[in-house]
Amino acid sequence: GAVVSQHPSWVICKSGTSVKIECRSLDFQATTMFWYRQFPKQSLMLMATSNEGSKATYEQGVEKDKFLINHASLTLSTLTVTSAHPEDSSFYICSAPPQREGYNEQFFGPGTRLTVL
Amino acid sequence: AQSVTQLGSHVSVSEGALVLLRCNYSSSVPPYLFWYVQYPNQGLQLLLKYTSAATLVKGINGFEAEFKKSETSFHLTKPSAHMSDAAEYFCAVKGAAGNKLTFGGGTRVLVKP
């Protein structure tokens, strides 16, 4: 299989501060990574597609200035929630499809629980 | 455009009973289909996938799913539920081109002793 890690696993911050979440592919390269948010007892909502070497592609309704995405290398993408507010509290999950023959699925990170006070 | 519908947001089964989770999809191209499982406060783990090979797909933990093109379905089954099967299950579809996944609403499985 392929492993995707996220850091931190949980974070609590004050309203108005910024929070950075890291997503790493540990044993494969990923030119593309995906960021999702998940509210309690709901499905995953795709926020944006992170592209190595180019700008991220945001889904409709997602504020790109609010959720900054940087795909720094072939194994690392970061999501920064800027000026966080309580309504940004959620479970954020990243995923990546391995660029390998025979792999059509995405592998998911363990998620980051963000709580904004 | 593609979409996924999971019938039933909650399913309750007795330990040892059949688990059946329903998934219907729509896709304008031949799809790739996936079932993922999510335990509380964790990411998603792949159970199984359909990629246009065999229509009956076997996955981990005793789960299997059958692709039926005529019914645009990809239902997930397990013959005998175990307490450890209690989790949230998501069906997802991906078109042949690109990597975006479209998820269903999820089905929460409760296993009664």
Side-chain angles (χ1 to χ4, degrees), chain A residues 30-32 50-56 70-74 76:
Chain A
T31 56
T32 302
S50 175
N51 303 299
E52 192 269 337
S54 64
K55 292 182 180 180
N70 181 30
H71 202 128
S73 72
L74 287 172
L76 173 64

Side-chain angles (χ1 to χ4, degrees), chain B residues 10-21:
Chain B
H10 291 81
V11 167
S12 181
V13 298
S14 297
E15 191 174 18
L18 171 71
V19 180
L20 170 60
L21 305 183

Side-chain angles (χ1 to χ4, degrees), chain A residues 20-79:
Chain A
K20 180 185 285 188
I21 303 170
E22 293 185 348
C23 177
R24 293 182 185 273
S25 56
L26 297 186
D27 52 359
F28 65 96
Q29 294 182 335
T31 56
T32 302
M33 292 183 176
F34 299 91
W35 286 97
Y36 300 83
R37 68 185 298 180
Q38 185 181 31
F39 291 107
K41 301 183 179 181
Q42 293 189 26
S43 188
L44 281 73
M45 182 191 81
L46 180 64
M47 299 174 66
T49 303
S50 175
N51 303 299
E52 192 269 337
S54 64
K55 292 182 180 180
T57 306
Y58 290 82
E59 296 299 303
Q60 192 171 12
V62 177
E63 299 176 60
K64 62 181 180 181
D65 295 331
K66 172 78 172 173
F67 299 100
L68 299 179
I69 290 174
N70 181 30
H71 202 128
S73 72
L74 287 172
T75 58
L76 173 64
S77 174
T78 59
L79 168 68

Side-chain angles (χ1 to χ4, degrees), chain B residues 45-92:
Chain B
Q45 180 184 8
L46 181 69
L47 279 177
L48 48 79
K49 62 182 179 181
Y50 167 76
T51 58
S52 76
T55 56
L56 182 62
V57 181
K58 293 189 183 298
I60 63 172
N61 302 340
F63 284 94
E64 63 181 39
E66 186 172 9
F67 172 71
K68 292 186 176 180
K69 184 178 179 180
S70 61
E71 299 178 8
T72 61
S73 69
F74 190 55
H75 301 331
L76 180 72
T77 60
K78 181 173 180 177
S80 177
H82 191 272
M83 297 299 291
S84 60
D85 295 326
E88 185 91 23
Y89 293 81
F90 292 97
C91 181

Side-chain angles (χ1 to χ4, degrees), chain A residues 38 43 59 104-106 113, chain B residues 36 41 49 99-100 104:
Chain A
Q38 185 181 31
S43 188
E59 296 299 303
N104 296 290
E105 65 269 37
Q106 293 180 20
R113 172 79 56 195
Chain B
Y36 286 90
N41 294 310
K49 62 182 179 181
N99 284 310
K100 276 191 187 179

